[in-house]
Amino acid sequence: FFFYFFRIPTPSLLSGVLWMIRSLVVLLLCAASSALSVGCRASVAACRSPAPAMMGNMAPDGPFTPVVLAGKVVLGEKLLNKVRGKLITYHAQAITEFCETYGVAREMRGALVKKAKIVGGDLGFLS
């Protein structure tokens, strides 16, 4: 057991260590940002922004904005946008499957996808 920690690192071990360090940095940034964030306590309606969510830097800040900004630093903007696009695609597919399963009209499906974009922007996922 002792010799396991003091062996010569291999390339796969180094990449695993770098991945672990990156993950730890993101986790620490998330913990620090949630500890420092000040939420709106008066009412839920006061916390919501009246403007619709926009893409890119025009989106309003939300509770997950620090996580997204940390992701830009750790992953890089190009990879973050790629991952974010994949997640948006999976979420839209889940909404579509839900609508097909329960016979929801096509117009309502479009409204649900638009609402998901607005809520995601309000939460800071589009920052």
Side-chain angles (χ1 to χ4, degrees):
F1 184 75
F2 178 75
F3 293 108
Y4 176 77
F5 290 104
F6 294 103
R7 67 183 179 165
I8 297 173
T10 61
S12 63
L13 180 64
L14 286 177
S15 65
V17 169
L18 290 176
W19 181 85
M20 189 170 30
I21 290 172
R22 284 182 180 170
S23 300
L24 184 61
V25 167
V26 169
L27 181 65
L28 290 174
L29 287 173
C30 292
S33 67
S34 66
L36 297 175
S37 66
V38 177
C40 188
R41 301 191 197 297
S43 68
V44 175
C47 290
R48 295 187 181 169
S49 65
M54 298 180 186
M55 297 181 68
N57 293 333
M58 300 303 293
D61 289 341
F64 291 100
T65 299
V67 176
V68 173
L69 295 178
K72 280 184 184 179
V73 171
V74 173
L75 299 175
E77 192 167 351
K78 185 176 179 181
L79 182 58
L80 176 72
N81 287 337
K82 192 174 186 181
V83 170
R84 185 180 1 211
K86 238 353 172 183
L87 291 173
I88 290 171
T89 301
Y90 289 145
H91 191 237
Q93 287 174 353
I95 292 172
T96 301
E97 288 177 11
F98 173 83
C99 292
E100 289 175 355
T101 301
Y102 293 102
V104 178
R106 186 168 291 211
E107 295 82 18
M108 179 59 77
R109 179 208 162 273
L112 288 172
V113 170
K114 286 180 184 178
K115 185 66 173 177
K117 180 180 179 185
I118 292 170
V119 170
D122 289 344
L123 291 174
F125 289 120
L126 300 178
S127 295

